[in-house]
Amino acid sequence: MRNEMKLNDDWRFHLGEIGSPVKTVKKAGAIGGLTAPLNGEDGEQIAIGQGGKHFLNLISQGDLKRGLRMLAGTDMDSELTEEWNRIAIPHDWSVAVPYVDAPELLMSGSKPENIGYYRKTFSLDASLEENQILLKFDGVMRMASVWLNGIYLGDNISGYTPFEFDITEIAKFGDEGVTVLLVRADTTTGAEGWWYEGAGIYKEVRLQFLPKLYVDDDSFYIYTKEIGGNAVLGCEATFVNRTDKPQTVRPALHVGDQQVAFDEITIEPLRS
């Protein structure tokens, strides 16, 4: 059974550029700064094994933070200032921005383009670690860049397309500390419509927890095969098996008050 956890409350928001975190780094998870736990937040800023600590101390004469800066350019200094406001999602920063007298912006609401940052921390129970976890955005206007726990996840270039990231191997659980999410939304890259589009994370953000065996949402497809006295429908779907053994299932499709049961099928496990 799949479950969801909404991430709509208790965000921090900053309007204006603050210096975008890097997207590539010499050590995985070592971007630091606002993409990782800050002072007072639960969890290590950078996860480093004993061998890594020994090497960093060696190159920095015992100063671990200096060693991270030398090796990976890790941001060890960023912090949340009073300019970071508490907000909830959905959020449109353009609503509170004054109108401007600019003919080129007239059709899109006479609001200036800008850049905004959203940051949220959340905790996950250790019992969730067995699930596949998807971080899903229903809509961010406009160019969105996303970081999680010191790692750059990727970009989304349209404010009208939902997008997601698989964070199963990146999220933190239980006593590992909080998971840190940072989103940069940039509306200065060019409008997509000639109407008012808004700005920022204007739709829900959520986590989806998938079991070991599930139906791939994007694969589910129902179509009309024949039209007559009784219409004939076709149905296609892909099952994903993340266990280490073949699994036998008998799918059933509910359409209104009708149920159609299919033959048993065996789903082979995913192969790396």
Side-chain angles (χ1 to χ4, degrees), residues 102-164:
E104 67 274 13
L105 296 176
L106 180 62
M107 294 296 291
S108 55
S110 296
K111 293 297 184 81
E113 308 291 3
N114 210 330
I115 295 169
Y117 283 84
Y118 295 83
R119 187 178 188 270
K120 179 175 176 60
T121 63
F122 56 92
S123 299
L124 296 174
D125 191 86
S127 63
L128 297 170
E129 196 166 358
E130 293 300 314
N131 294 272
Q132 182 180 8
I133 304 178
L134 303 180
L135 172 62
K136 303 174 78 77
F137 294 85
D138 288 345
V140 180
M141 186 62 67
R142 177 168 317 110
M143 171 71 81
S145 300
V146 183
W147 294 262
L148 189 87
N149 290 342
I151 296 173
Y152 165 66
L153 298 183
D155 290 339
N156 188 66
I157 63 174
S158 173
Y160 296 101
T161 55
F163 58 100
E164 65 184 42

Side-chain angles (χ1 to χ4, degrees), residues 149-195:
N149 290 342
I151 296 173
Y152 165 66
L153 298 183
D155 290 339
N156 188 66
I157 63 174
S158 173
Y160 296 101
T161 55
F163 58 100
E164 65 184 42
F165 300 102
D166 188 333
I167 65 169
T168 307
E169 304 298 328
I170 307 174
K172 295 181 180 180
F173 303 90
D175 58 9
E176 291 178 334
V178 296
T179 291
V180 180
L181 173 60
L182 183 72
V183 180
R184 180 182 188 268
D186 184 356
T187 67
T188 68
T189 57
E192 293 180 79
W194 56 85
W195 50 84

Side-chain angles (χ1 to χ4, degrees), residues 178-215:
V178 296
T179 291
V180 180
L181 173 60
L182 183 72
V183 180
R184 180 182 188 268
D186 184 356
T187 67
T188 68
T189 57
E192 293 180 79
W194 56 85
W195 50 84
Y196 175 80
E197 295 186 292
I201 306 179
Y202 71 98
K203 288 188 176 182
E204 287 191 332
V205 181
R206 63 192 190 279
L207 298 177
Q208 187 176 70
F209 304 97
L210 301 177
K212 295 288 188 179
L213 181 66
Y214 62 92
V215 177

